[in-house]
Every structure is written in C-alpha cells, then in structure tokens.
Amino acid sequence: MIIIITGTPGTGKTEVAKAVAEELGYELINEKDFCTKRNIGRCDKDELVIPISALKKALEIEIYNKENIVIEGHMLSNIHLDADLVIVLRTNPEVLEKRMKERGYSPEKISDNVMAEILDYCTIHTESKYPKDIIYEIDTSERTVEETTELVLKIISGEYSGDEVDWSQDSATILTRDINKKLNG
Ligand SMILES: Nc1ncnc2c1ncn2[C@@H]1O[C@H](COP(=O)(O)OP(=O)(O)OP(=O)(O)O)[C@@H](O)[C@H]1O
Ligand SMILES: [Mg+2]
C-alpha cells in the first residue's frame, strides 16, 4: 500500500508518518529529505524551494514497482502519485499558530501557513488530484501523535472514516483579530 500523508506545515505529518511507518513496518519517505538527497530544488533563505514537476518525476521513479511506503510532506498535495490512500492532517488555525510560535517560525511564515489551513489549501488541492474515496482528513488539534496514528491505522482497517473539518467559525475569530491588529497598529 502506498500511503501519502500531507497537510499544512505543523499539522504533525513527520511525527505521525514516522509512527505509522513503524507500526506497519513500511518504508518512510520524507519529502524534504528525499529532495535534499537527490539535489532536487535549491535553498533560498534557509528554505528548500522544491520544483513540483521534478519532485513528482523523482517520486514516481522511486515508488515504481514498490509496495508498502508512507510518503509525507506538504508539497504532496500538489502532485498526483499512484497512491492507495491519502491522509490530510488538519489542525485548528489557533492551535496551529501556537505550535508554529513554539517552533520559532517567523511571523510571515506563521501567517502564510495559518491562512493556508483556513483556506483548506491541502484538502482542496488533494481533492483535485485524487478520487475522494481515498482521501481522509484527521483533525489533530486535540489529539496526541499516538491518537492520530491510531486513527490512521483505523482508516486503513476500515474502522474509521475520517473527520469533517470546518474552520469557518475559528477562522472568523483569527481574521477579525488580525484585521483589528492592523487597523490599530
Ligand atoms: N495530534 C498530533 N499529531 C501530530 N503532531 C502533533 C499532534 N499534536 C501536537 N503535535 C506536534 O506538532 C508539532 C509539529 O509536528 P511535525 O513536525 O510532525 O509537523 P509537520 O507537519 O511535519 O511540519 P513540517 O511541514 O514543518 O515538517 C510537533 O511538535 C508535534 O509533536
Ligand atoms: Mg515535517
């Protein structure tokens, strides 16, 4: 089974994918490590800028004729691979903002990623690449890495059908706060 785990930065892809791969005894591919090892992309202000077409081509070659791989990364929502299951990790924008602050992200990066989560960026892009019946969302906001991992395993075994995510209420609070901050300096 080829499993893709994607989502906005900070939603927990790396930790959950590692635990899922360990539980299943699957190979694990981290998008960023994969690109670094193969010299795909270039560094710009400490950020690795990855060209989507090169990533797609290299991953297609990597997974060709292989089974049992977990691939994780946020760029994966922009490419189609021959996958059996796509998990989109979601996190309440306020919780995500807190997680990114704790990780010392710049205000611009936090704001960009919170906006991406508010706009359902990864879900919408994933839905344009894959059939809906292989895409599942999991809300990690009030769950631990272990609980989220457990839910991925339950999705695989057919015991869980994912979460319905809707940040519209929470987003209004964040956006109003940010607009007020800008207006009041
Ligand atoms: N339910 C949860 N599932 C996964 N991670 C969680 C959860 N709750 C809190 N976290 C924490 O969120 C933080 C971000 O996790 P992680 O580094 O795996 O995110 P990521 O999606 O891989 O981010 P990036 O795209 O920047 O690599 C970690 O400190 C992790 O422990
Ligand atoms: Mg990561």
Side-chain angles (χ1 to χ4, degrees), residues 5-17 30-32 72-75 89-91 95-96 99-100 102-103 105 109 113 138-149:
I5 300 185
T6 190
T8 307
T11 48
K13 301 177 295 292
T14 300
E15 295 211 12
V16 171
N30 167 283
E31 154 195 287
K32 212 170 176 182
E72 64 100 354
H74 73 272
M75 303 268 298
L89 295 186
R90 305 297 308 268
T91 306
V95 177
L96 189 67
R99 277 192 206 167
M100 285 190 285
E102 280 165 12
R103 292 174 122 196
Y105 283 13
K109 196 167 173 184
N113 288 332
I138 301 177
D139 179 0
T140 74
S141 315
E142 287 173 15
R143 291 185 172 121
T144 62
V145 173
E146 292 73 25
E147 286 166 342
T148 308
T149 303

Side-chain angles (χ1 to χ4, degrees), residues 76-169:
L76 296 171
S77 60
N78 288 302
I79 56 180
H80 176 268
L81 293 171
D82 193 8
D84 303 289
L85 176 67
V86 183
I87 305 282
V88 185
L89 295 186
R90 305 297 308 268
T91 306
N92 177 292
E94 282 187 82
V95 177
L96 189 67
E97 188 178 59
K98 221 162 117 204
R99 277 192 206 167
M100 285 190 285
K101 272 187 186 155
E102 280 165 12
R103 292 174 122 196
Y105 283 13
S106 69
E108 294 77 36
K109 196 167 173 184
I110 293 177
S111 159
D112 284 355
N113 288 332
V114 165
M115 192 54 77
E117 185 62 21
I118 284 174
L119 296 173
D120 306 319
Y121 180 93
C122 285
T123 303
I124 290 170
H125 283 256
T126 303
E127 284 176 355
S128 73
K129 304 276 177 214
Y130 294 95
K132 272 205 171 171
D133 62 340
I134 69 160
I135 304 171
Y136 295 83
E137 292 187 289
I138 301 177
D139 179 0
T140 74
S141 315
E142 287 173 15
R143 291 185 172 121
T144 62
V145 173
E146 292 73 25
E147 286 166 342
T148 308
T149 303
E150 194 64 40
L151 290 183
V152 176
L153 299 175
K154 282 193 169 157
I155 286 171
I156 295 169
S157 63
E159 295 166 78
Y160 192 63
S161 53
D163 297 323
E164 289 277 336
V165 173
D166 177 5
W167 302 143
S168 47
Q169 290 299 319

